[in-house]
Amino acid sequence: MRDCKGRFAPTPSGDMHIGNAFCYFLAWLAARKEGGKLVLRFEDCDTLRMQRGAAEQTMSDLAWLGLNWDEGPAPGEESGPYFQSCRTAIYDRAFDELRGRGLVYPCFCSRQDVRQAAAPHPDESSPVYPGTCRTLSGDEIRERSRLRAPAWRLRVTDETVEFLDGLYGQQRCAPAAEKGDFIIRRADGVYCYQFTVALDDALMGVSQVVRSHDLLSSTPWQIYVQRLFGYEPPAWLHIPLLLDDGGRRLAKREKALSIRQIRRCYTPEEVVGRLACLAGLQSGPEPCGLEELVPRFDPSALRREDIVLPPDFFARCRE
Ligand code: GLU
């Protein structure tokens, strides 16, 4: 059996909110319950979306909550760097390997081209790629490259990806039928989320991924990439989303429920107690310490439905 290693994988595009904290809280408990370690990795490939200072603020917020990690951006980096923006050489190597194996090809289609050429698909926003550029000749590629830089797609086979999620159960996906060949490197050279996450989790030795269920549908792509390189995928635990008291998804731009704001009005134990209550680890929001929750953590106490924050849960932030 592999040693247990979990991870926090924030995107430093703004202040961390209570929904992010809920996810990291559960990732921390799941790893510590197994006597495991945690790695902190910042997903900042798409540098234009990032906010200056957000990574430092996130580290400060995690530390304030007591959600410590064993590997991350600090001296003694073991399997770093821990900022994706500094890992391009690693992604380049993996990309070159796939290219050498004939598994990627340049694609010159615009989004509109794909939409128009694709067969009708229930999810309009991500139609199945019809394979337009799959068989371009060398000359055609050279010709088109003069006009625009290509994105790069991974050739997917007909295989089905199956995996067991710790909360949502057995999952099944046929990548070729659901999306077709997918982009792993954009035309501007930025590597795509599914590719970088899959590689980083594998290269950093992550054996357990705990994250919100909005990423459940991304998991087969990540498994697909990991298998191409012969990596063993981690165990998956997708968790419900925390919604605001109006039932809306929390967003980084709304400041009221950011940890930065909550820190002004609550102690770490008060916040941890509330998170524990939301996770079904205690019946009320009484303050409590993280360590005492470790033996009590039980993923099966989680419900699959999204969790709506009770209206007055962080009332002091509004005063
Ligand atoms: N970076 C993503 C986020 O902050 C999480 C990605 C993942 O957990 O795989 O939402």
Side-chain angles (χ1 to χ4, degrees):
M1 258 226 345
R2 285 195 278 182
D3 288 343
C4 173
K5 197 193 265 186
R7 44 80 144 181
F8 304 133
T11 299
S13 55
D15 281 349
M16 162 176 157
H17 55 58
I18 192 69
N20 304 128
F22 181 63
C23 178
Y24 305 143
F25 165 75
L26 292 173
W28 187 91
L29 285 174
R32 298 308 187 205
K33 173 89 190 247
E34 302 291 319
K37 298 198 161 169
L38 280 137
V39 48
L40 169 62
R41 169 182 82 233
F42 283 102
E43 306 206 321
D44 62 343
C45 271
D46 200 351
T47 43
L48 291 178
R49 280 182 51 226
M50 301 308 134
Q51 198 181 86
R52 190 193 282 267
E56 291 72 17
Q57 181 69 37
T58 299
M59 287 194 270
S60 160
D61 289 344
L62 286 169
W64 180 83
L65 283 163
L67 300 173
N68 54 358
W69 59 94
D70 306 282
E71 281 175 48
E77 298 196 338
E78 279 173 48
S79 43
Y82 294 96
F83 281 87
Q84 287 188 328
S85 56
C86 302
R87 295 175 65 79
T88 311
I90 296 172
Y91 307 139
D92 282 343
R93 268 199 301 281
F95 176 81
D96 288 344
E97 181 184 328
L98 294 179
R99 202 171 168 184
R101 290 162 61 190
L103 292 176
V104 290
Y105 62 88
C107 173
F108 300 88
C109 300
S110 65
R111 262 179 221 211
Q112 202 187 0
D113 295 336
V114 176
R115 251 195 315 273
Q116 280 170 358
H121 191 257
D123 180 1
E124 285 287 320
S125 61
S126 64
V128 181
Y129 182 64
T132 319
C133 294
R134 211 175 210 243
T135 51
L136 293 181
S137 67
D139 282 347
E140 285 171 315
I141 291 174
R142 267 186 296 281
E143 190 60 34
R144 289 181 200 199
S145 300
R146 272 198 221 121
L147 300 175
R148 65 188 290 179
W152 287 80
R153 288 187 186 266
L154 185 66
R155 255 173 232 283
V156 297
T157 60
D158 280 338
E159 77 186 78
T160 302
V161 176
E162 288 193 50
F163 65 96
L164 181 68
D165 181 77
L167 184 60
Y168 294 91
Q170 194 66 29
Q171 308 288 316
R172 198 161 195 275
C173 162
E178 290 198 14
K179 231 182 249 181
D181 298 343
F182 61 102
I183 294 179
I184 59 168
R185 197 170 96 172
R186 299 191 327 212
D188 61 3
V190 173
Y191 286 101
C192 298
Y193 164 71
Q194 311 294 17
F195 185 65
T196 56
V197 165
L199 286 173
D200 287 349
D201 281 340
L203 294 171
M204 293 177 176
V206 169
S207 66
Q208 180 190 67
V209 168
V210 178
R211 59 185 180 190
S212 302
H213 75 72
D214 54 337
L215 292 169
L216 185 60
S217 61
S218 285
T219 309
W221 315 98
Q222 294 167 20
I223 294 175
Y224 191 91
V225 171
Q226 288 171 339
R227 287 204 185 136
L228 282 180
F229 291 99
Y231 296 125
E232 188 191 335
W236 310 94
L237 176 66
H238 288 85
I239 56 162
L241 283 170
L242 204 56
L243 306 176
D244 71 12
D245 54 16
R248 287 173 301 260
R249 243 188 111 132
L250 296 166
K252 286 193 172 148
R253 57 184 180 278
E254 287 154 30
K255 298 284 170 226
L257 289 170
S258 68
I259 302 300
R260 187 202 285 266
Q261 180 63 26
I262 287 173
R263 280 171 73 167
R264 300 200 176 112
C265 320
Y266 292 86
T267 66
E269 291 74 21
E270 286 174 323
V271 179
V272 166
R274 283 166 168 73
L275 293 173
C277 171
L278 294 167
L281 296 170
Q282 59 181 24
S283 52
E286 334 41 82
C288 75
L290 268 173
E291 291 296 339
E292 63 191 271
L293 292 171
V294 174
R296 272 196 263 154
F297 174 70
D298 175 8
S300 62
L302 288 168
R303 295 184 326 150
R304 293 184 184 182
E305 295 77 38
D306 288 340
I307 301 166
V308 179
L309 271 178
D312 49 359
F313 229 46
F314 289 99
R316 272 180 245 153
C317 293
R318 297 213 181 99
E319 283 159 11

